[in-house]
Amino acid sequence: MELTGAQILIECLKEQGVDSVFGYPGGTILDVYDALFETPEIHHYLTSHEQGAAHAADGYARSTGRVGVCLSTSGPGCTNLVTGIATAYMDSSPIVAITCNVSRKLLGRDSFQEVDITSITRPITKWNRVVDDVHDLADVVRQAFLVARSGRPGPVLLDITKDVTAATCAYEAVPTEEHRVFELPNRLSKRLMGSLNTQEPNPQDVDTLVAMIEEAERPLIVCGGGVVRSRASRELNAFANLVDAPVAITVMGAGGFRGRDPLSTGMIGMHGSQASNMAVDNCDLLVAVGCRFSDRVALQPSTFAHQAKIVQVDIDSTEIGKNVRCDHSVLGDAKTVLAMANERLGQLHHRRWRQFVLSFPTETQYEEGGDHLTPKQVNEMVARLCPEDTIVATDVGQHQMWAIQHFHYDYPGQLLTSGGFGAMGFGLGAAIGAQVGNPGTCVIHVTGDGSFRMNCNELATVEHYRLPIITIVYDNAVLGMVHQWQTLIYDERYSQTTLDRPPDWVRLADAYGLTGRRVSTMEELEVALTEALACGHGYVIDAIIDPDEMVRPMVPAGQHITNFLAI
C-alpha cells in the first residue's frame, strides 16, 4: 500500500511492538505527529523538555528490557537530546532517537533550525543515519531497532528529512524475525563492531574459566552492568552459589545479584564497601561478569586485584583488557556464558575465605541518635514502607551513592541511574519512563537539591499523566558530592557549592498541582511517605539532612582500592 514517510515510520514502530514514545513536537517533525494523531496503539508522552524525553525513553528501556523511543524536531530540539543519548550510550541502554531535519534541498545551507545531528551524535551512538529517501525509510527503521538491541545494547539515532516524511512510496509489513542488518558504513567504531557480537561463547574458553575457578582458593565475582542488561540474575545467583564466592556489585550491576544475598559484599570501588574492596585486594581469582573496570571501580589499574588472576566475561570484545590487565576472557552474552559455566561446575566450598571477606562491613553505619535525618534512615524508611519490587530512579551525587549503598536491589532494572555519564537531571525523566513501562509498580525518584533543579520541570509531565511517582529530595543546601570533596581534599574551600537560594520544593510541587511535604524527623517522614503511597498521584518529599553528611567509605580517584580517605 502507498503511504507517506510519516505513516511508514509509524507502521514500522508498530512492527516493533512500540506502545509508548516520549517527545516534543516542532516544525520539521509535524508530519510524524500528524500521523501519530491517528494511531491509538502508540501512546505519546509530551515531556517538558527534549532531554526529559531522552531520559524517559532510557528509563523505559532499562526497566522493561525493551527498546525505548524518543522524538524531537530539528535544531535545538535534537541537540537537547544529546545528554540523554550520551547517558544511554555510556550505560548500554537501547533507545532509538528519531529526529526530523529540514528538507534535503535545504541541508548545508544554515537553514532555520538546521543542525548536523548525525555528526554531533556519532561518538555517542551505536549507529546513526540521515534518511533522505523515502524508499530507504522502512528498512532503516527496522535496522535501527535491531542494532539498538543486538549484542551490547545502546542508542541509535535516525535523522529524517522533512520532505521524506511527506513523500509517498509503497509499504509492506515485515515480521521482526526477518529484520536484518543490511548496511553499515565503514566508519563504524571498533566499539560498535565489538558490541554487535551475537556469536555463541567458545566452549573451550568456558572450560578454561571453570578450571581456573576450581584451582582458586580465594575467588571473587564482580557483578557488572552486563548482567543487568542480559537479565542474567538467576544464572549469576546459581554461579555464585556453586563457586561459593563473595559477590561485589558495581553501580551498574545493582539488581544483577540480590543485595540481600548472604554472598553479597555490596558496592565496589570509590564508594565501595570495605568488604568489597578488601576482597578485591586479597582474592586470588577475580571473575568480572559484564564489568568494564571503569576508573570508579579500578581506581588504580596497576594495583587492582594485584594478587589475582583476572577473568573478564563480556559481550563486547573491545572491553576485554581495555582498562585492567586480563589473564583470560570469555566473549559472549553474560546469561549464556554463566549458563554454560553452571553446567560444567560442581559444588565448591570456600568458607574461610567468605568469613574473612564478610568480617569487614558491607555498608556504612551512621550515628542515628542525632536530631536530624540521616541518609540511611531515609532509605530504610523507603525500604520498610514501599513494596519490595519498587523501582528506584536516581539523579547523580551523594543521594545516588546512598541509594545504591543502602537499598537492596533484587532484580535487573530495579535501579535506574546514570553510572557512566553521571548526568544530573537523569532521575525524573527515567522515573517517568519506568512508570509508563511498569504501570502497576511503585516508582521512587531519589534526588538531591542540586540535581532536582535540572529536571524539576518534568513535574508537569508527572501531574498531567497522573503518574504516581514519589520524589524524595535529599535537601542539604549544598552540592553534596562536590562539597564533600572540598571538605576532604580542598581544605574546606567551598567555592560555589552552597545552595542558599530558592526554590521551596513544597511550594514548587504545589505550583505543579502536586502534593509536597517538608520533613526533618523519622516521624514526619513516615507520615509523608505513607500519604504519598496512598494518594495515587505525584508527590514530593523534601527531606532535610545535614550539609556535612558524607558518602562513606571513599577512596580518592587514582588511589589504591583500600586507601580509604573516609570510613
Side-chain angles (χ1 to χ4, degrees):
M1 56 182 167
E2 195 87 1
L3 297 177
T4 67
Q7 291 170 327
I8 290 171
L9 172 62
I10 298 304
E11 290 302 316
C12 288
L13 295 182
K14 288 161 64 176
E15 280 181 9
Q16 298 293 332
V18 173
D19 56 14
S20 303
V21 298
F22 308 88
Y24 204 98
T28 60
I29 201 171
L30 277 181
D31 289 330
V32 174
Y33 273 84
D34 190 61
L36 265 176
F37 189 76
E38 298 179 345
T39 311
E41 303 98 315
I42 299 177
H43 302 281
H44 181 278
Y45 292 85
L46 177 64
T47 55
S48 296
H49 190 280
E50 290 90 352
Q51 184 174 326
H55 291 324
D58 191 350
Y60 179 95
R62 297 187 198 214
S63 63
T64 65
R66 303 194 294 271
V67 177
V69 180
C70 57
L71 307 175
S72 84
T73 193
S74 60
C78 56
T79 57
N80 282 343
L81 295 177
V82 169
T83 295
I85 293 170
T87 300
Y89 182 75
M90 289 292 284
D91 291 346
S92 304
S93 183
I95 70 171
V96 172
I98 299 169
T99 63
C100 286
N101 214 325
V102 298
S103 296
R104 181 176 182 177
K105 66 182 180 181
L106 295 176
L107 289 174
R109 297 175 179 269
D110 292 333
S111 303
F112 178 68
Q113 290 191 335
E114 178 198 356
V115 71
D116 185 359
I117 192 62
T118 53
S119 292
I120 291 170
T121 59
R122 189 163 295 130
I124 55 170
T125 52
K126 282 187 72 176
W127 179 62
N128 67 18
R129 167 80 184 265
V130 174
V131 185
D132 56 8
D133 187 334
V134 70
H135 297 90
D136 296 335
L137 181 59
D139 279 341
V140 171
V141 174
R142 291 163 185 151
Q143 173 156 297
F145 279 83
L146 188 59
V147 171
R149 65 174 178 260
S150 295
R152 179 181 183 175
V156 171
L157 179 135
L158 299 181
D159 192 35
I160 307 168
T161 58
K162 182 172 174 56
D163 51 320
V164 167
T165 66
T168 60
C169 77
Y171 162 80
E172 182 179 349
V174 176
T176 53
E177 60 268 19
E178 297 180 19
H179 296 177
R180 60 189 178 86
V181 175
F182 65 89
E183 172 268 332
L184 289 174
N186 293 329
R187 64 173 177 266
L188 289 177
S189 67
K190 289 175 65 178
R191 171 170 170 177
L192 173 54
M193 296 307 294
S195 69
L196 283 173
N197 170 50
T198 55
Q199 297 179 354
E200 289 294 302
N202 185 328
Q204 292 181 336
D205 290 339
V206 180
D207 290 340
T208 300
L209 166 62
V210 170
M212 294 174 75
I213 292 170
E214 290 173 340
E215 292 174 4
E217 296 180 356
R218 304 186 307 279
L220 174 69
I221 299 166
V222 176
C223 171
V227 178
V228 174
R229 292 292 169 264
S230 68
R231 296 320 202 235
S233 54
R234 289 186 180 180
E235 288 76 9
L236 182 62
N237 182 269
F239 179 73
N241 279 279
L242 284 171
V243 180
D244 191 31
V247 180
I249 305 171
T250 70
V251 167
M252 296 311 303
F257 190 76
R258 280 177 56 88
R260 283 175 253 265
D261 193 286
L263 291 174
S264 173
T265 60
M267 187 164 65
I268 180 176
M270 176 175 282
H271 295 294
S273 70
Q274 293 181 61
S276 290
N277 289 9
M278 292 299 293
V280 170
D281 207 41
N282 288 276
C283 65
D284 64 359
L285 177 68
L286 189 151
V287 181
V289 186
C291 167
R292 61 190 177 87
F293 294 120
S294 77
D295 59 311
R296 286 299 189 262
V297 171
L299 294 99
Q300 191 178 75
S302 61
T303 65
F304 183 79
H306 60 102
Q307 299 187 51
K309 293 180 179 178
I310 298 177
V311 180
Q312 199 169 353
V313 177
D314 208 289
I315 199 168
D316 186 349
S317 60
T318 65
E319 292 294 349
I320 303 298
K322 183 178 78 175
N323 294 324
V324 168
R325 65 174 177 82
C326 186
D327 298 285
H328 179 59
S329 64
V330 185
L331 187 62
D333 176 73
K335 191 180 187 75
T336 305
V337 172
L338 290 170
M340 292 173 66
N342 291 342
E343 290 175 355
R344 292 160 166 77
L345 278 167
Q347 183 62 58
L348 302 173
H349 299 281
H350 299 101
R351 183 176 62 86
R352 290 183 62 186
W353 165 239
R354 281 191 291 103
Q355 288 177 339
F356 167 77
V357 171
L358 293 171
S359 68
F360 297 96
T362 59
E363 61 180 286
T364 302
Q365 299 298 318
Y366 290 82
E367 295 294 334
E368 306 295 345
D371 58 356
H372 61 273
L373 286 170
T374 69
K376 189 173 183 182
Q377 284 177 330
V378 177
N379 291 339
E380 286 179 345
M381 183 67 71
V382 172
R384 180 162 66 85
L385 296 184
C386 296
E388 282 193 7
D389 65 347
T390 294
I391 293 172
V392 176
T394 82
D395 283 294
V396 172
Q398 286 183 316
H399 67 273
Q400 176 192 31
M401 294 297 103
W402 290 323
I404 298 167
Q405 287 178 333
H406 302 303
F407 284 141
H408 296 293
Y409 300 98
D410 294 332
Y411 63 90
Q414 189 176 13
L415 170 68
L416 313 176
T417 195
S418 178
F421 202 53
M424 296 171 70
F426 169 80
L428 188 51
I432 289 168
Q435 192 71 81
V436 168
N438 304 268
T441 303
C442 177
V443 176
I444 302 287
H445 168 221
V446 177
T447 188
D449 49 338
S451 285
F452 197 32
R453 294 164 194 270
M454 298 192 179
N455 63 13
C456 59
N457 55 346
E458 294 303 339
L459 289 176
T461 313
V462 171
E463 188 280 331
H464 179 76
Y465 296 103
R466 293 195 63 80
L467 302 174
I469 296 167
I470 302 170
T471 290
I472 301 177
V473 185
Y474 284 78
D475 190 348
N476 56 5
V478 294
L479 292 174
M481 189 62 83
V482 188
H483 179 89
Q484 174 171 333
W485 281 55
Q486 289 172 331
T487 299
L488 295 173
I489 301 172
Y490 290 90
D491 298 323
E492 300 183 6
R493 293 161 60 88
Y494 299 118
S495 178
Q496 303 304 314
T497 54
T498 301
L499 300 177
D500 52 350
R501 61 205 72 185
D504 179 316
W505 300 119
V506 175
R507 293 173 65 186
L508 184 70
D510 182 67
Y512 278 110
L514 303 175
T515 304
R517 276 184 183 266
R518 181 174 293 106
V519 301
S520 58
T521 67
M522 287 287 282
E523 293 75 16
E524 292 173 345
L525 175 61
E526 183 169 11
V527 169
L529 187 54
T530 301
E531 183 176 79
L533 288 165
C535 72
H537 58 72
Y539 198 107
V540 176
I541 299 175
D542 183 16
I544 308 301
I545 64 171
D546 192 304
D548 293 320
E549 194 71 81
M550 291 192 186
V551 178
R552 296 179 281 128
M554 175 181 168
V555 179
Q559 297 293 310
H560 186 66
I561 198 165
T562 59
N563 185 17
F564 297 108
L565 185 61
I567 295 180

